[in-house]
Amino acid sequence: MYALSCTDGFKYPGSEPTYITDIIPVSAGLAAVGSDQSLSIFNPLRLNQGPLKKVQTNHGNISCAEVFSVGNSIVATAGENGTVSLWDLRSDAANTPVLQIGTPGEGPGLLSLACSEQTNTLAAGTELANHQASILLWDLRSPRVPKIHYDEVHSDDVTELSFHPTNPHLLLTGSTDGLVNVCDTRITDEDEVVIAAFNHGSVHRAGFLNETEVYAVSHDERFALYDMGETVEKGSPTLDLGDIRKVVDCQYLCNVIPKVTGAGAVIGAGTQDQELFRLIHLSKNGASWSLDSETVVGLPGAHGSEIVRSFCFVDEQQVVFTAGEDSCIKAWRPSV
């Protein structure tokens, strides 16, 4: 295992711990979401100076955040009161959203978001309310009402949404009903919109790995890969690792981040008892996938005995960022 050292960090002040639930790289810096309902932007080279800007979101409880525009540093947030806000983190007036969608309390709480800057589209998934869970899509050029409203794609909380890496009309959806679906959003007929479906179990994490392959992680940590290609048996996993905790000897899986080349992914897994967080490469060789035990990167000490909630990395700068339930954001680099 190749170990990195913590070279910089910031701890949110206060007597009550602030869970840092997500960190998102944008051109203006490193955006961070806190359980204190804040959205902050940090200088990634000087985390210890604290946030450059910090705004209070207006969702009751913030549940999710996604980048809409990396270059323009626009981040979308959503939460329990059913609203979506877009924030320009470059602006001096960052404490005011550039766009607010929805009326507080008018609709069900939102649990997931996906953004396509290419098509000016924002998708949101709702919690189950009145026996219905919905997926809403807005054209941000005219966001007064959703342009598409799917009510039958899932039968329980919509926990994950992700647009295809090259085809912005394809939307991956995941739910606690156990299904991971791929929808063609050019189709409005709900009987026809799902073009691929995988029965994985209550979905905690899911997303595209490349043009045809997707990963899924259930709430009980089952990890599998699926392929929506025409030559693959429909619905069956192409790789099923079962409980990932047993496979990589960890206590929880934080997230899976695909590589931009489409040739692999990085799994972030933590072990609180050992105060350790590891980055494990999922590599593809031809048509086969495998975990690469030779290139594991360790972050000893991690966030102590607290869970790491989010991580990201910048290969060019050889730095990994982590955020956790100990109120801290940390930067990790190779030891000199």
Side-chain angles (χ1 to χ4, degrees):
M1 183 178 72
Y2 179 69
L4 301 182
S5 299
C6 181
T7 60
D8 191 12
F10 177 78
K11 183 171 184 176
Y12 280 53
S15 57
E16 294 294 324
T18 299
Y19 292 179
I20 315 304
T21 58
D22 210 351
I23 46 176
I24 306 170
V26 293
S27 63
L30 189 67
V33 176
S35 63
D36 59 356
Q37 315 313 317
S38 68
L39 175 65
S40 303
I41 187 78
F42 289 82
N43 180 345
L45 301 178
R46 296 180 178 179
L47 295 178
N48 62 354
Q49 292 187 346
L52 303 173
K53 295 184 180 75
K54 185 175 183 178
V55 301
Q56 289 302 125
T57 62
N58 49 4
H59 306 297
N61 281 314
I62 186 172
S63 60
C64 49
E66 289 291 334
V67 61
F68 177 75
S69 173
V70 172
N72 294 320
S73 297
I74 296 176
V75 173
T77 60
E80 69 171 357
N81 68 359
T83 64
V84 180
S85 299
L86 271 74
W87 310 86
D88 182 349
L89 296 178
R90 303 166 306 170
S91 171
D92 291 336
N95 58 335
T96 302
V98 295
L99 180 63
Q100 180 90 25
I101 300 173
T103 301
E106 190 174 84
L110 301 178
L111 299 176
S112 51
L113 285 173
C115 301
S116 171
E117 184 180 14
Q118 182 179 347
T119 61
N120 289 294
T121 300
L122 185 145
T126 78
E127 64 185 2
L128 183 68
N130 298 320
H131 309 289
Q132 182 173 287
S134 302
I135 299 168
L136 312 172
L137 287 89
W138 289 271
D139 184 332
L140 296 185
R141 292 164 295 193
S142 54
R144 185 176 296 275
V145 295
K147 66 176 182 179
I148 299 175
H149 196 143
Y150 297 126
D151 295 327
E152 299 175 8
V153 170
H154 290 292
S155 60
D156 210 336
D157 294 349
V158 181
T159 53
E160 193 73 290
L161 294 173
S162 178
F163 282 105
H164 191 274
T166 60
N167 184 345
H169 300 294
L170 298 184
L171 178 67
L172 178 146
T173 70
S175 168
T176 52
D177 65 6
L179 292 176
V180 176
N181 293 328
V182 178
C183 300
D184 186 336
T185 60
R186 292 167 294 191
I187 301 171
T188 56
D189 185 344
E190 294 207 47
D191 291 332
E192 305 291 336
V193 66
V194 177
I195 62 172
F198 311 106
N199 191 354
H200 180 75
S202 180
V203 176
H204 174 52
R205 298 283 191 182
F208 289 102
L209 287 173
N210 50 43
E211 294 283 333
T212 66
E213 293 175 285
V214 305
Y215 72 88
V217 184
S218 67
H219 282 102
D220 59 1
E221 308 285 5
R222 180 191 165 208
F223 183 96
L225 305 184
Y226 301 89
D227 197 324
M228 62 180 190
E230 294 181 358
T231 61
V232 181
E233 182 181 353
K234 299 300 182 184
S236 298
T238 54
L239 176 69
D240 190 347
L241 296 180
D243 189 336
I244 191 70
R245 294 170 296 187
K246 298 178 181 178
V247 177
V248 302
D249 189 23
C250 69
Q251 289 176 284
Y252 66 93
L253 185 147
C254 172
N255 202 358
V256 180
I257 299 181
K259 293 187 175 181
V260 293
T261 60
V266 175
I267 297 172
T271 309
Q272 300 125 282
D273 291 351
Q274 300 176 22
E275 298 189 356
L276 177 65
F277 191 75
R278 289 178 295 157
L279 307 181
I280 304 161
H281 287 81
L282 180 65
S283 303
K284 188 175 186 182
N285 185 9
S288 300
W289 289 88
S290 62
L291 294 173
D292 188 350
S293 59
E294 301 297 319
T295 60
V296 174
V297 175
L299 312 181
H303 288 250
S305 60
E306 301 295 340
I307 290 174
V308 176
R309 293 288 294 268
S310 183
F311 74 97
C312 62
F313 48 84
V314 182
D315 285 336
E316 298 81 9
Q317 299 177 14
Q318 291 188 299
V319 60
V320 174
F321 297 100
T322 59
E325 295 187 357
D326 60 348
S327 306
C328 292
I329 298 176
K330 296 184 177 184
W332 304 80
R333 294 178 172 87
S335 301
V336 178

